[in-house]
């Protein structure tokens, strides 16, 4: 089922971890409006980058979010965040291309992927860089 011209419900729900661990990551119907908002943002991302993007993580049920060590404050369980990569360039190059052209809550250079999300609250337009010294994530403001 297509949510927007370029994004499907299957992409929203897909998770290798969920598949491996037998976690049911089916999107609850009451979150579809959130997913549609995020899908519209992802369409704008795709348009601005002028290249297809590959979603690596979108909706995560609470069990899946916990299984991958996701933040308790993550909006992935609300369907309001996407992690993705693109042939456009590195995550840093992608973040630089998007940071002043979109409304978002968070845009994060995660090193090997980009995280972009919305919020149920007013959007903060927060831009962060994640690094992983000793295997633990550390966020700094801005793009470095």
């Amino acid at each position: 089922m297509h949510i927007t011209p370029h994004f499907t419900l299957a992409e929203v729900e897909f998770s290798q971890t969920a598949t491996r661990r037998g976690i049911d990551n089916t999107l609850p119907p009451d979150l579809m409006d959130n997913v549609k908002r995020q899908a519209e943002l992802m369409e704008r991302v795709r348009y601005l980058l002028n290249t297809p993007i590959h979603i690596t993580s979108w909706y995560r049920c609470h069990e899946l979010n916990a299984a991958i060590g996701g933040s308790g404050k993550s909006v992935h369980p609300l369907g309001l965040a996407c992690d993705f990569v693109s042939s456009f360039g590195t995550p840093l190059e992608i973040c630089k291309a998007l940071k002043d052209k979109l409304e978002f809550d968070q845009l994060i250079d995660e090193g090997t992927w980009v995280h972009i999300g919305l919020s149920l609250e007013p959007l903060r337009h927060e831009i962060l860089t994640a690094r992983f010294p000793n295997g633990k994530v550390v966020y700094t403001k801005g793009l470095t």
Side-chain angles (χ1 to χ4, degrees):
M1 173 183 121
H2 274 86
I3 297 168
T4 61
H6 297 102
F7 299 101
T8 66
L9 182 59
E11 287 176 287
V12 170
E13 297 174 331
F14 179 75
S15 165
Q16 290 179 354
T17 301
T19 300
R20 278 195 309 270
R21 296 187 182 190
I23 298 171
D24 180 1
N25 198 47
T26 302
L27 180 76
D30 63 323
L31 294 179
M32 184 56 82
D33 286 344
N34 289 354
V35 166
K36 286 179 181 176
R37 275 183 64 210
Q38 184 69 29
E40 289 166 5
L41 174 62
M42 299 314 295
E43 287 288 348
R44 290 190 296 279
V45 166
R46 190 179 191 280
Y47 174 80
L48 289 169
L49 298 179
N50 194 31
T51 186
I53 59 177
H54 174 73
I55 304 296
T56 58
S57 181
W58 193 323
Y59 170 69
R60 294 184 204 145
C61 67
H62 290 288
E63 182 182 358
L64 175 58
N65 196 57
I68 65 153
S71 166
K73 296 178 182 181
S74 173
V75 292
H76 281 280
L78 299 175
L80 289 173
C82 277
D83 298 337
F84 71 94
V85 295
S86 169
S87 62
F88 176 87
T90 67
L92 178 59
E93 291 167 335
I94 292 168
C95 288
K96 285 180 177 179
L98 299 175
K99 68 183 180 74
D100 297 321
K101 296 180 178 154
L102 294 170
E103 292 298 318
F104 53 81
D105 187 58
Q106 284 188 320
L107 178 67
I108 307 174
D109 170 4
E110 296 272 4
T112 57
W113 72 88
V114 175
H115 169 97
I116 191 166
L118 296 170
S119 172
L120 296 175
E121 306 296 324
L123 300 178
R124 298 173 287 176
H125 203 82
E126 183 176 50
I127 300 169
L128 302 170
T129 298
R131 294 296 176 252
F132 301 87
N134 303 317
K136 294 201 76 144
V137 66
V138 176
Y139 294 99
T140 56
K141 290 197 180 284
L143 297 173
T144 58

